[in-house]
Amino acid sequence: MAAAAARWNHVWVGTDTGILKGVNLQRKQAANFTPSGQPRREEAVSALCWGAGGETQILVGCADGTVKHFSTEEGRFQGQRHCPGGEGMFRGLAQVDGTLITCVDSGILRVWHDNDKEASSDPLLELRVGPGVCRMRQDPVRPHMVATGGKENALKVWDLQGSEEPVFRAKNVRNDWLDLRVPIWDQDIQFLPESQKLVTCTGYHQVRVYDPASPQRRPVLEATYGEYPLTAMTLTPGGNSVIVGNTHGQLAEIDLRQGRLLVCLKGLAGSVRGLQCHPSKPLLASCGLDRVLRVHRIRNPRGLDHKVYLKSQLNCLLLSGRDNWEDEPQEPQEPNKVPSEDTETDELWASLEAAAKRKLPDLEQSQGALQTRQRKKKRPGSTSS
Amino acid sequence: MAKAGDKSGGSGNKGLKRKAATEERQEAAVAEDGTTESGVQPSKAAAFPPGFSVSEIKNKQRRHLMFTRWKQQQRKEKLAAKKKLKKEREALGDKAPPKPIPKTIDNQRVYDETTVDPNDEEVAYDEATDEFASYFNRQTSPKILITTSDRPHGRTVRLCEQLSTVIPNSHVYYRRGLALKKIIPQCISRDFTDLIVINEDRKIPNGLILSHLPNGPTAHFKMSSVRLRKEIKRRGKEPTEHIPEIILNNFTTRLGHSVGRMFASLFPHNPQFTGRQVATFHNQRDYIFFRFHRYIFKSEKKVGIQELGPRFTLKLRSLQKGTFDSKYGEYEWVHKISGSQSGTSSIT
């Protein structure tokens, strides 16, 4: 049951205890998926990304250096790939053309052949990015370009098909008013959709925009928010603003055209670890150390839509970008049950009047109840497969 | 117009009464005054503009009088309604509807979804492998360092001394202006498991930072109602060196569990029951009350207790993952004050 319904989950969250949770906001259910049936802290999920073929596969990067494949269609882990090299957790995971790109804390970026048969073959390409990497992000438009950044590790954009040198290497801003060097701590990077620009958010509460196309290697725009390190960032559907979250659980939307703060979103009580906006709808999913997944609506009207308590500390999330949020076709849900029900109740239908017939569609619909606006307490379905 | 009439009518007699029952008072006042407004009064009583309230009268004395009169009337009406209800109940006898339950804060509380279910495996695994696992597996025994903010005054110093008698295996050190981030690596190298810093403001202790050492969470509390030993009435003698028992009351939610485990990891595992001493952390509506008692069983069911030791109240302000790093650390929970937050939900 959980396996069949897994494809309709809206949000996938990775936790510190190694459990991948699939949350269905429509039915207000959360399901746990573990590769070995038991949660293990060594398999703490540190990176999540969509696999090949639309949104049917998820690549889960764990703390022990393995990347596991999870199929949303079948709702179970299918295989894993050991990606050794370097120390630290995965800071970025991406996949392109059947190859897997991983980047670890110590700065080793490797491109692997994504083939389950070869357990741990040598990487196709290895790059040293510099120590202390905090994030590696792939450009969704040009999948062979990746950007890396970290603590005292300036933003670099690499072309995996090109040379060993970065295509763009950012320069630090000028010394501040006391003539002291401004420290660098890039926590999250995003590629802006239409142009070549990149946005980063730093641990020193700055949001910076870089433009590789311009001759200036320094940031084109800099905005600050709050007093605490910004840990996560996501682009909004319009493309003109970003939403950032800091270690105090404060979420803010910052306009990139002027560098202004637009709105703040309330609700989170712990450090924000994962943020993602839906590509077309004004929805924002956020997860953090306070063990709660929240889905906010970012405009008209702004507010909290769903709040789901998931019992472990949440590390990263993936929001399904599909459009048919509400519609869930009934047939894939109960393929086994429908025929048997028909045979039993056919005689009943023949004998009873039309009033009784209404019961059957109600039964089916109660499973996929359309309760988008009600703040009901969800039932945590802790089924582990 | 009504206002002008109001003033003129009220100048002689004290205020205008809405009910016709007080007409005799008006007449009496008029008799004193002798003005010709008596004929106007009865009609005045009904001619108030709609939306007129007692608060619009500018004259304080008159306004006060009107208000007290209105209040008396309300009280009369309420009493009459109560009597009527009581009569109806008696008349109905057995068929009367059940008495409505009064609303209390505890009644109105929203059920907290993060309340830990004892059978929950995920939470059990989380707790079995978190930072306190080494304490609860009996691999490490606690060693506490107690210190204060810089330049403490008398109360704080005495509180630290008394706390060190309450918590076994604890050491008090004078702060001497050292930075906490520098103290922490030194503590770790000397095998300390916890660090307690008592913050002081204006000569009274008002905050407590409790940091579990190797890499554990740091909790920041607001401390209030501190009573030193000599300020406690009817107390017993000094606490002995026996290891006390611990009572942790009411830490039901997930956050409460974490905080409760933090407190539990301050004390050694093996309480010495011969000492008959007990330290209690009682959580009620997000306030944690700390008490230290000595008990004696007078019979099977009767216990006598003597309060020893200091007492204080704590309220959690933030729980930070990792050792003390208020600027760059990641917070697991931060107390946020928002206007719409009702006082009925509790977090621990």
Side-chain angles (χ1 to χ4, degrees):
Chain A
M1 178 58 188
R7 72 177 77 177
W8 305 116
N9 284 337
H10 296 112
V11 191
W12 294 92
V13 194
T15 64
D16 243 354
T17 48
I19 304 174
L20 178 70
K21 292 183 185 258
V23 181
N24 189 321
L25 301 166
Q26 208 56 35
R27 265 180 272 147
K28 316 247 172 218
Q29 281 175 357
N32 285 359
F33 299 100
T34 43
S36 51
Q38 287 297 318
R40 285 176 60 215
R41 216 166 262 270
E42 300 82 39
E43 292 174 359
V45 177
S46 57
L48 279 182
C49 82
W50 292 112
E55 290 182 354
T56 54
Q57 216 192 40
I58 298 182
L59 299 170
V60 181
C62 299
D64 53 359
T66 57
V67 176
K68 299 180 166 66
H69 300 261
F70 178 81
S71 156
T72 52
E73 303 280 315
E74 295 167 38
R76 59 180 187 83
F77 282 88
Q78 282 178 326
Q80 69 172 38
R81 210 204 137 66
H82 189 56
C83 301
E87 292 150 7
M89 314 194 299
F90 288 114
R91 293 293 181 183
L93 208 58
Q95 75 92 34
V96 59
D97 295 341
T99 58
L100 183 66
I101 312 170
T102 62
C103 184
V104 282
D105 225 353
S106 62
I108 311 253
L109 189 149
R110 285 185 170 178
V111 181
W112 306 83
H113 212 56
D114 192 14
N115 201 342
D116 286 333
K117 276 58 168 196
E118 309 158 46
S120 58
S121 54
D122 287 324
L124 291 173
L125 177 63
E126 180 176 322
L127 289 173
R128 280 182 198 275
V129 184
V133 175
C134 287
R135 184 74 70 179
M136 178 206 72
R137 189 75 78 169
Q138 178 193 38
D139 190 350
V141 172
R142 292 166 296 170
H144 54 94
M145 307 281 279
V146 293
T148 57
K151 188 151 192 177
E152 295 307 325
N153 186 341
L155 176 70
K156 299 185 183 84
V157 181
W158 305 83
D159 186 350
L160 296 172
Q161 295 169 346
S163 66
E164 295 264 320
E165 288 297 310
V167 169
F168 173 72
R169 188 195 289 263
K171 196 169 168 181
N172 196 5
V173 291
R174 291 208 168 85
N175 286 353
D176 62 9
W177 62 292
L178 292 171
D179 203 21
L180 293 171
R181 176 187 173 267
V182 177
I184 302 174
W185 188 4
D186 286 323
Q187 288 257 37
D188 202 351
I189 310 170
Q190 288 280 353
F191 282 85
L192 284 174
E194 272 95 43
S195 59
Q196 277 189 7
K197 296 192 207 167
L198 301 113
V199 197
T200 59
C201 72
T202 70
Y204 299 108
H205 45 86
Q206 298 146 332
V207 177
R208 293 173 168 163
V209 178
Y210 293 87
D211 192 355
S214 77
Q216 180 180 327
R217 278 169 58 206
R218 289 202 163 117
V220 166
L221 178 75
E222 181 169 311
T224 58
Y225 168 67
E227 333 166 310
Y228 299 103
L230 303 173
T231 48
M233 182 165 73
T234 181
L235 301 166
T236 51
N240 289 323
S241 56
V242 287
I243 299 190
V244 291
N246 66 8
T247 54
H248 256 231
Q250 295 162 342
L251 291 176
E253 185 173 349
I254 298 192
D255 188 320
L256 292 176
R257 294 173 289 191
Q258 286 190 323
R260 257 183 350 120
L261 169 69
L262 290 178
V263 249
C264 286
L265 294 164
K266 303 204 284 195
L268 269 93
S271 172
V272 178
R273 282 280 177 99
L275 269 186
Q276 194 172 347
C277 251
H278 192 272
S280 50
K281 302 190 202 206
L283 292 175
L284 170 77
S286 59
C287 74
L289 290 182
D290 59 349
R291 303 179 167 97
V292 176
L293 168 76
R294 287 183 175 84
V295 177
H296 291 261
R297 179 165 285 273
I298 41 185
R299 48 190 81 112
N300 46 288
R302 222 168 274 127
L304 184 66
D305 254 358
H306 305 270
K307 185 170 97 159
V308 181
Y309 172 61
L310 304 164
K311 301 166 206 142
S312 313
Q313 290 181 347
L314 310 170
N315 254 342
C316 40
L317 64 82
L318 269 184
L319 184 63
S320 147
R322 64 174 205 261
D323 278 325
N324 58 334
W325 209 256
E326 277 90 11
D327 301 328
E328 284 189 43
Q330 304 296 323
E331 297 83 50
Q333 274 186 11
E334 306 168 52
N336 305 320
K337 287 192 186 167
V338 169
S340 58
E341 267 183 347
D342 271 341
T343 52
E344 287 167 20
T345 56
D346 259 344
E347 301 102 43
L348 270 176
W349 285 16
S351 55
L352 295 174
E353 307 120 21
K357 259 196 184 177
R358 265 187 271 116
K359 270 194 188 168
L360 195 58
D362 271 343
L363 266 174
E364 286 185 356
Q365 264 179 20
S366 65
Q367 306 252 333
L370 304 166
Q371 292 165 350
T372 38
R373 291 287 173 270
Q374 282 183 13
R375 312 276 184 266
K376 266 202 184 169
K377 301 271 182 238
K378 66 141 189 81
R379 289 177 288 116
S382 48
T383 56
S384 52
S385 58
Chain B
M1 279 299 110
K3 221 168 192 170
D6 180 7
K7 279 188 192 148
S8 59
S11 58
N13 51 6
K14 294 266 181 126
L16 305 157
K17 191 56 185 163
R18 278 173 255 151
K19 271 201 170 164
T22 53
E23 263 176 16
E24 60 265 23
R25 199 185 284 190
Q26 288 172 351
E27 286 168 356
V30 160
E32 295 172 17
D33 209 271
T35 54
T36 52
E37 290 145 1
S38 55
V40 189
Q41 298 310 350
S43 61
K44 242 346 125 50
F48 275 96
F52 173 83
S53 79
V54 178
S55 56
E56 280 174 21
I57 304 176
K58 298 298 182 186
N59 182 327
K60 186 167 178 172
Q61 257 191 339
R62 216 176 296 147
R63 186 172 67 233
H64 180 70
L65 209 83
M66 285 290 277
F67 179 71
T68 40
R69 219 168 269 172
W70 177 80
K71 253 314 212 212
Q72 284 167 2
Q73 182 198 332
Q74 292 292 95
R75 233 176 279 149
K76 257 196 202 167
E77 285 175 7
K78 191 171 170 186
L79 207 62
K82 257 197 192 165
K83 270 196 180 159
K84 188 167 150 225
L85 199 64
K86 193 169 175 191
K87 254 193 193 160
E88 283 175 11
R89 282 193 90 86
E90 281 175 21
L92 282 178
D94 276 334
K95 288 178 281 180
K99 275 195 173 174
I101 312 167
K103 279 194 218 176
T104 62
I105 292 181
D106 277 322
N107 277 350
Q108 303 299 97
R109 189 166 299 192
V110 174
Y111 172 69
D112 194 337
E113 58 184 352
T114 61
T115 307
V116 175
D117 179 20
N119 303 332
D120 198 328
E121 333 171 307
E122 195 177 329
V123 176
Y125 177 78
D126 203 7
E127 295 199 334
T129 51
D130 70 355
E131 294 103 347
F132 300 106
S134 63
Y135 166 79
F136 284 99
N137 292 338
R138 314 276 176 122
Q139 285 161 2
T140 52
S141 68
K143 187 172 171 192
I144 323 281
L145 179 72
I146 303 182
T147 184
T148 65
S149 53
D150 202 17
R151 293 184 164 259
H153 283 85
R155 273 189 80 90
T156 314
V157 171
R158 265 173 269 139
L159 176 68
C160 286
E161 290 167 19
Q162 293 179 6
L163 260 185
S164 72
T165 57
V166 165
I167 305 177
N169 205 6
S170 60
H171 308 261
V172 180
Y173 281 93
Y174 182 47
R175 180 76 177 270
R176 293 180 104 235
L178 298 167
L180 278 180
K181 287 203 199 166
K182 293 205 176 124
I183 299 180
I184 286 175
Q186 292 209 7
C187 283
I188 297 177
S189 66
R190 276 158 226 227
D191 276 337
F192 278 91
T193 56
D194 288 272
L195 173 70
I196 299 182
V197 183
I198 299 192
N199 189 56
E200 186 202 23
D201 181 53
R202 283 172 153 226
K203 305 182 192 171
I204 42 168
N206 71 347
L208 182 86
I209 296 176
L210 174 55
S211 185
H212 188 70
L213 271 187
N215 48 359
T218 305
H220 176 37
F221 296 95
K222 178 170 78 162
M223 186 155 64
S224 51
S225 261
V226 178
R227 302 279 175 262
L228 300 175
R229 227 164 250 155
K230 62 178 187 178
E231 295 159 5
I232 298 178
K233 298 187 177 151
R234 293 181 285 275
R235 72 186 143 95
K237 293 191 182 163
E238 297 291 313
T240 56
E241 293 287 322
H242 296 97
I243 297 175
E245 302 164 48
I246 322 291
I247 295 180
L248 293 164
N249 266 343
N250 230 351
F251 288 93
T252 48
T253 63
R254 187 70 188 82
L255 182 65
H257 258 241
S258 308
V259 173
R261 284 161 71 83
M262 268 192 109
F263 285 129
S265 70
L266 287 178
F267 295 88
H269 262 291
N270 44 336
Q272 289 167 321
F273 295 101
T274 49
R276 290 184 280 120
Q277 291 176 141
V278 58
T280 309
F281 292 91
H282 177 88
N283 175 29
Q284 188 151 339
R285 290 195 62 206
D286 301 339
Y287 282 91
I288 302 169
F289 299 93
F290 172 78
R291 302 285 184 270
F292 193 67
H293 295 279
R294 180 179 288 138
Y295 60 89
I296 180 159
F297 280 102
K298 295 180 193 160
S299 70
E300 269 278 325
K301 302 215 171 163
K302 286 182 78 173
V303 191
I305 52 173
Q306 272 181 342
E307 185 162 4
L308 325 169
R311 85 157 71 141
F312 47 85
T313 316
L314 299 172
K315 188 169 183 193
L316 184 69
R317 275 172 68 175
S318 65
L319 183 64
Q320 184 209 327
K321 193 171 162 117
T323 54
F324 180 76
D325 190 350
S326 61
K327 212 165 151 193
Y328 300 119
E330 292 204 327
Y331 284 85
E332 214 178 290
W333 184 84
V334 176
H335 179 56
K336 301 242 169 103
I337 312 166
S338 64
S340 60
Q341 216 178 51
S342 59
T344 56
S345 60
S346 71
I347 36 143
T348 50

